[in-house]
Amino acid sequence: MSNTLYPIFLKLEDLSLLVIGGGNIAVEKLNSVLANSPGTRIKLVAREISEEVKKLKLDYPNLSLHERSYTDNDFNSADIAIVAVNDIFVAEQIRDRAHQNNTLVNIADKPELCDFYLGSIVRKGDLKIAVSTNGKSPTVAKRMREILTEVIPDEEMDGLLDNMQHIRNQLKGDFTYKVKELNRLTTEYLDEKEIQPAETRLEMEKLISITKTVQRRANIYLGIIGVLTLIGVLALIIYQFNLSGDIQSFLSKDGYIFYWMLLAGFLAEIVAGSMGMGYGVICTTILLLLNVPPPVVSASIHSAESFTSAAGSISHYKLGNVNKKMVWVLFPVAAAGAFIGAFALSHFGEKYAHIVKPVIACYTLYLGVNILRNAFKGKEKRAESRRQKKRTNLRILGLVGGFIDSFAGGGWGPLVTGTLIKEGRTPRYVVGSSTMAKFLLTIVSALTFIFTIGIHHWNIVLGLLLGGVFTAPFSAMFTSRLPAKKMFAVVGVVVIIMSLITIVKSLT
C-alpha cells in the first residue's frame, strides 16, 4: 500500500490551532479551517499580517492576531500547527521545534514534511467526505471534491442521515448486530439508487402503496374525528338554539349548491384517495361547470383542503417522509406565489370572470390531457423521464406551483410533485415534503381569500369538506378494486370533457 494515511475527522473547535505566517498561504489555510470549523480557537503569529487576514478577524472573533516573530512558547498552548511560510528552511526549523513540544504540523505545499494534511472537503449537511491524494496532487483532490459535490443530492442527504440515526437509536442488541443491520439498510438504499428501470418502477409502486396507506389512515382518522365532532357539536347547537329553520335555509342557499358540493367532495376524494392526486382539479372543474365565480372556486377548495391536507402532512412527518430542508426551500416561495395568485384572483376574478374562467378551464384541460397521457405512457418512457439529470430550481418551481395552485384552484401535485419525481429524486421524500409544503401554502391561500373576499362561501366549503370526510373509507375500497391505469384514463376523460364544456359556455 503506497498510501498509509489514516483519515481522521477532528473536533477542531475543541482544539487550539497555531498558524505561523500572515500572507496569501495563511489566508487559504484559514478559509479552509473556518469553513468547516468556524468556532476553532486560532492563534496566528507573523511579522507581517495581510489585510485579507485582518478582514477575517472581523468575522471570526475566535481568531487572535499577533504581529511579531513566533517563539517556542507559542507551541505550549497549541494542539496542532499550520506553517504558512514561503521559506522551506524556516519551515523545517519550525517543524523541528514543534516536534520538540509534541505538536503535529502541516506545512503548506510540502507534503513530505507534513504530519497531517488539510484535505479537500465535500460537505452535504451532516455528511462530510475528505479527499486525499497522499500529497501528490491537491488539484486532483479538488476536482474529485467538485464531482462528488455535484453528484450527491442536497435535499435527500440530511433526511437520510436523520432517519438512519433514528433507526440506530432504536436498534437493540450488541454492536455486531447493529453494524450488520445498518449495513443491510444502507446497502438496500444504495442498490435502489443504482438500478434504474425495473427497480425504479418497483420503488414507485412501493411509494404509491405507502402513500395510499398513509392517506387512507389519515382520512379514516379525520373522518371518525370529524363525524363524531360534527354530530355532537351540531346536535347540541341545534337543540340548544333551535336552529333547524336556519339550517334548512343554509342548505337551500344558492340553489342547493351545498348538495352539489357534497357530490364534488365525494368524487374528488374518491379520485384523490385512489390515485394520490386530482382533488383540486376535480373540484375546480365541477365548480366552474356550476358557474361558481373563480375566486370562490379557489377559496372554497383551499379552505376545505386546509383540513384534509393537515392529516396527510402529519402522517408523512411521523413516517419520516418529510425532508425539512426541501420543505423550507419550497414553502416560502410557494407561500409568496399562493398569496400573489389568491390576491390577483380575488381582485380581478369577478370583474374579468369572462376571461379568467376560460383560462382556468384551459389549464384544467391541460391537466386532464396530462392525466390521460400518463395512463397510456409506456414504461420505457416513464423510466427514461426519471433519468433526467438536469435538476429544476426548487425556488422557481415552488413559486410557480404556489401561484398556479392558488389562482387556478389546484395543480400543485401534477406540477411540483410530478416534476421532482420525474427528475429521479427519491419519491418517498418528494411526496412527503411536497405534501407538507402544500398544506402550508394552502393555509396562506385560504387566509388570503378570507381577508379579501370574506367567508360567505362556507356552504361550499362545508359541502366539499363533508363529502371528502364521509367518502374517505370508500376511497380505500375503490383503491383495491379499480386498476390505477383505468382510473387515470376515466378521470382524464372526465376532466377534459368538463373543461371543454366550461370553455364553450364561457365563450358563448
Side-chain angles (χ1 to χ4, degrees):
M1 294 175 62
S2 60
N3 190 337
T4 57
L5 292 175
Y6 189 79
I8 294 176
F9 286 94
L10 298 175
K11 289 186 176 180
L12 202 54
E13 294 183 343
D14 295 337
L15 304 177
S16 180
L17 172 64
L18 172 65
V19 178
I20 299 175
N24 292 332
I25 300 176
V27 172
E28 181 181 350
K29 299 296 183 181
L30 287 172
N31 282 327
S32 176
V33 170
L34 293 171
N36 286 280
S37 303
T40 304
R41 291 176 288 114
I42 304 174
K43 177 181 180 180
L44 185 142
V45 179
R47 289 180 181 178
E48 295 182 6
I49 300 177
S50 67
E51 291 300 320
E52 287 81 0
V53 173
K54 292 178 180 179
K55 288 180 181 178
L56 286 174
K57 167 66 178 173
L58 299 176
D59 296 326
Y60 299 95
N62 46 303
L63 171 61
S64 62
L65 306 180
H66 304 268
E67 204 158 8
R68 57 171 173 80
S69 298
Y70 85 96
T71 65
D72 291 346
N73 292 330
D74 291 322
F75 292 108
N76 294 335
S77 59
D79 295 304
I80 57 176
I82 295 176
V83 180
V85 297
N86 290 316
D87 193 323
I88 185 60
F89 179 73
V90 173
E92 289 179 343
Q93 285 186 325
I94 297 173
R95 178 176 179 267
D96 293 339
R97 294 188 180 182
H99 285 174
Q100 292 174 9
N101 287 271
N102 296 320
T103 302
L104 298 177
V105 179
N106 172 275
I107 298 179
D109 203 32
K110 293 296 177 182
E112 66 277 6
L113 299 178
C114 291
D115 299 315
F116 65 92
Y117 296 153
L118 299 181
S120 293
I121 306 295
V122 179
R123 290 183 297 166
K124 292 288 182 177
D126 291 322
L127 175 70
K128 282 192 177 182
I129 303 174
V131 182
S132 171
T133 57
N134 205 25
K136 292 182 177 180
S137 178
T139 303
V140 171
K142 290 180 181 178
R143 180 59 181 151
M144 289 297 298
R145 179 194 65 193
E146 293 172 358
I147 293 172
L148 290 172
T149 300
E150 182 178 349
V151 170
I152 299 174
D154 286 292
E155 300 84 5
E156 301 172 14
M157 194 51 60
D158 280 344
L160 172 65
L161 293 176
D162 289 340
N163 286 340
M164 290 304 298
Q165 182 185 30
H166 177 71
I167 292 171
R168 186 188 67 186
N169 294 336
Q170 298 298 317
L171 285 176
K172 306 297 182 183
D174 58 16
F175 178 77
T176 303
Y177 168 75
K178 290 182 179 179
V179 170
K180 287 182 179 179
E181 189 66 13
L182 292 173
N183 283 340
R184 181 185 65 80
L185 292 172
T186 51
T187 300
E188 289 179 359
Y189 173 79
L190 292 174
D191 286 344
E192 289 174 2
K193 301 292 284 185
E194 291 173 0
I195 303 173
Q196 283 291 333
E199 292 298 327
T200 301
R201 182 163 51 83
L202 289 175
E203 163 103 10
M204 288 296 296
E205 290 174 358
K206 283 183 188 177
L207 169 73
I208 293 171
S209 177
I210 292 172
T211 303
K212 289 175 181 177
T213 301
V214 170
Q215 190 168 23
R216 185 163 59 246
R217 289 177 181 174
N219 287 335
I220 290 173
Y221 294 150
L222 180 62
I224 293 173
I225 295 172
V227 169
L228 294 178
T229 304
L230 283 173
I231 291 176
V233 172
L234 290 176
L236 179 62
I237 293 175
I238 293 171
Y239 176 78
Q240 194 74 22
F241 297 98
N242 193 22
L243 297 177
S244 57
D246 294 331
I247 290 176
Q248 290 179 1
S249 175
F250 174 81
L251 296 178
S252 62
K253 185 179 177 183
D254 299 325
Y256 296 93
I257 198 171
F258 171 81
Y259 297 104
W260 285 105
M261 293 307 97
L262 278 177
L263 176 63
F266 172 86
L267 295 175
E269 181 56 36
I270 287 291
V271 173
S274 303
M275 298 168 48
M277 58 167 284
Y279 185 90
V281 178
I282 294 292
C283 289
T284 300
T285 308
I286 294 175
L287 288 170
L288 287 176
L289 196 62
L290 293 173
N291 290 321
V292 177
V296 177
V297 170
S298 186
S300 303
I301 293 171
H302 285 93
S303 297
E305 277 189 313
S306 298
F307 297 94
T308 57
S309 61
S313 299
I314 293 171
S315 299
H316 277 296
Y317 185 81
K318 287 184 177 180
L319 286 173
N321 296 340
V322 176
N323 182 334
K324 296 178 184 177
K325 183 177 179 181
M326 182 183 288
V327 172
W328 286 113
V329 171
L330 284 173
F331 167 60
V333 290
F339 173 79
I340 295 171
F343 190 83
L345 185 63
S346 61
H347 281 74
F348 304 110
E350 288 276 11
K351 185 176 181 181
Y352 299 101
H354 61 289
I355 299 175
V356 174
K357 285 184 68 174
V359 168
I360 296 177
C362 286
Y363 177 65
T364 57
L365 175 64
Y366 163 75
L367 294 179
V369 172
N370 267 351
I371 293 172
L372 192 62
R373 187 175 61 183
N374 287 334
F376 298 100
K377 184 184 291 186
K379 296 178 181 179
E380 295 78 9
K381 290 184 179 180
R382 292 177 189 170
E384 183 180 352
S385 65
R386 293 189 198 110
R387 289 197 290 268
Q388 295 177 0
K389 293 184 177 180
K390 188 175 180 182
R391 294 287 179 100
T392 304
N393 187 301
L394 280 178
R395 289 180 174 83
I396 296 177
L397 183 65
L399 181 66
V400 175
F403 176 83
I404 290 178
D405 190 86
S406 190
F407 188 83
W412 173 269
L415 178 63
V416 178
T417 308
T419 299
L420 295 178
I421 289 178
K422 286 178 182 178
E423 288 180 352
R425 300 174 191 258
T426 304
R428 171 187 174 188
Y429 293 115
V430 169
V431 173
S433 306
S434 177
T435 300
M436 178 68 75
K438 162 72 173 177
F439 164 63
L440 296 173
L441 80 87
T442 298
I443 296 295
V444 173
S445 181
L447 290 174
T448 304
F449 281 118
I450 288 173
F451 284 105
T452 51
I453 67 174
I455 56 174
H456 57 273
H457 55 277
W458 279 114
N459 56 335
I460 298 177
V461 175
L462 190 61
L464 291 174
L465 182 58
L466 292 179
V469 167
F470 291 136
T471 309
F474 298 100
S475 66
M477 181 183 66
F478 276 90
T479 298
S480 60
R481 298 194 177 187
L482 291 179
K485 187 174 181 178
K486 292 182 179 179
M487 281 291 295
F488 271 95
V490 171
V491 172
V493 170
V494 171
V495 169
I496 290 172
I497 292 174
M498 297 177 73
S499 299
L500 289 173
I501 293 174
T502 303
I503 293 172
V504 172
K505 289 177 64 177
S506 300
L507 298 178
T508 55

